[in-house]
Amino acid sequence: MTITLAACQYRIELIESFEAYEAHLTALVEEAVAQGAELLLLPEYAGLVLTGQLESTTRSDLHDSIAGIQPLIPRWMDLCERLARHHKVILQPGSMPVLDPDGAFRNRAPLFGPDGLLGHQDKQIMTRFEREQWQIAAGRDGLKAFETPLGRIGILICYDTEFPMLGRRLAELGVELVLAPSCTDTLAGSYRVRIGAQARALENQYAVLSAPTAGTAAWSPALDENRGRAALYVPSDYGMPPSGIVAESEEDTVEESHWLITRIDLADVARLRTEGQVATRRDWPEQFDR
């Protein structure tokens, strides 16, 4: 079954009311759906656009801004769920820092389907910025596999793509498509995500869809500079592009949010595990015997 995927190069715009944000996200989703998208992916920290609704002194403070948006999160979740239900799509609307009952903020990515909320995935390993400056805590519940009408899906948030054992864990959970929302402020950062995502696709013989923040947002202390290309990665093997890149954005920065629309039959990717030139997924345990 060929499915249509949409990965957003997302610009962090200054949107100063929830009504304006609702119109913004609704229009963005409708644009992708009009192009046939069945699964929509926005980037890591896309939810921080909500900080534009705070007072300027609050939104310009790194720590006050994430505390300030906590009361807006239930309304954001409701909006995302309504959009997924209405359009009968899978929607991963990016992530945002969420305050947990233990007093820690965690970088959380919810996943919605045609029947509502499917669950959420927390980022497992924090970057230096998150760990040392922002005090965002690592997820506690491990990695998850989400059953969807399009197949079994997993999520590796940005830095998590750079760790082989996390990608392997999703393979062990039977994931067929990995969503990789990302947020990087340099080309080097975006290439780290790209290299990690391609490596995970190669090692585990599944597909990885990546969506980045892109463009500048001088008003945001956390997301002022953003670089990255949306892409769909697969193993380099029979029937797949030799580069392992099914589709990729033309530029690494944008002036306005832009969708990358691409199509894939996940069964063709899965077939490589038994009929490919190589069997990296099968042969993975052998490296530990050497």
Side-chain angles (χ1 to χ4, degrees):
M1 177 181 69
T2 300
I3 59 176
T4 302
L5 309 175
C8 193
Q9 267 186 305
Y10 190 65
R11 182 168 180 267
I12 304 297
E13 299 181 36
L14 178 57
I15 302 172
E16 298 185 280
S17 73
F18 196 90
E19 291 72 24
Y21 173 77
E22 182 172 359
H24 156 80
L25 186 61
T26 299
L28 197 62
V29 168
E30 288 176 348
E31 179 186 340
V33 170
Q35 298 179 73
E38 300 166 85
L39 182 150
L40 289 68
L41 175 65
L42 274 74
E44 179 185 34
Y45 290 129
L48 284 180
V49 170
L50 296 180
T51 61
Q53 299 171 40
L54 306 176
E55 294 291 336
S56 58
T57 53
T58 302
R59 71 185 179 222
S60 63
D61 183 275
L62 191 61
H63 295 97
D64 288 350
S65 61
I66 62 172
I69 60 171
Q70 297 307 303
L72 298 173
I73 292 177
R75 196 173 177 186
W76 178 72
M77 293 280 288
D78 179 68
L79 170 61
C80 294
E81 180 166 348
R82 284 190 284 112
L83 288 171
R85 286 180 180 273
H86 176 72
H87 294 289
K88 296 179 173 56
V89 295
I90 305 299
L91 173 62
Q92 203 297 289
S95 72
M96 69 162 61
V98 176
L99 181 62
D100 269 342
D102 65 356
F105 288 99
R106 291 185 170 84
N107 186 354
R108 182 160 296 162
L111 187 67
F112 300 91
D115 295 323
L117 180 66
L118 296 169
H120 69 262
Q121 178 64 62
D122 288 346
K123 191 172 184 176
Q124 298 296 290
I125 302 177
M126 299 298 104
T127 62
R128 291 193 65 185
F129 175 74
E130 290 171 306
R131 192 188 306 250
E132 298 170 14
Q133 298 180 48
W134 224 356
Q135 284 82 55
I136 306 293
R140 298 181 300 176
D141 299 331
L143 292 171
K144 305 170 185 177
F146 301 92
E147 298 291 348
T148 81
L150 304 182
R152 187 172 291 183
I153 290 173
I155 302 173
L156 292 175
I157 302 174
C158 198
Y159 194 39
D160 285 350
T161 64
E162 299 178 35
F163 294 90
M165 299 309 292
L166 297 184
R168 181 63 183 184
R169 177 57 182 156
L170 290 183
E172 293 168 349
L173 292 173
V175 162
E176 301 172 83
L177 173 66
V178 172
L179 306 183
S182 69
C183 176
T184 56
D185 61 354
T186 65
L187 275 178
S190 70
Y191 273 105
R192 286 195 297 270
V193 172
R194 171 179 171 169
I195 291 165
Q198 286 202 265
R200 305 297 81 79
L202 172 67
E203 293 160 352
N204 299 295
Q205 296 180 299
Y206 51 40
V208 180
L209 183 69
S210 181
T213 50
T216 58
W219 60 273
S220 171
L223 305 178
D224 51 348
E225 297 181 12
N226 305 273
R227 306 291 290 271
R229 301 178 191 232
L232 176 63
Y233 304 115
V234 294
S236 300
D237 210 326
Y238 291 136
M240 300 293 143
S243 66
I245 303 172
V246 175
E248 187 176 49
S249 303
E250 294 182 2
E251 306 290 340
D252 55 63
T253 187
V254 292
E255 294 300 320
E256 59 183 29
S257 297
H258 176 75
W259 287 106
L260 177 73
I261 307 293
T262 187
R263 293 166 62 81
I264 189 76
D265 188 332
L266 295 176
D268 290 341
V269 181
R271 194 172 297 117
L272 299 176
R273 300 169 201 160
T274 55
E275 301 176 14
Q277 286 182 299
V278 294
T280 49
R281 187 180 181 123
R282 182 201 67 191
D283 297 338
W284 174 271
E286 292 185 21
Q287 64 188 307
F288 304 107
D289 299 330
R290 297 294 181 264

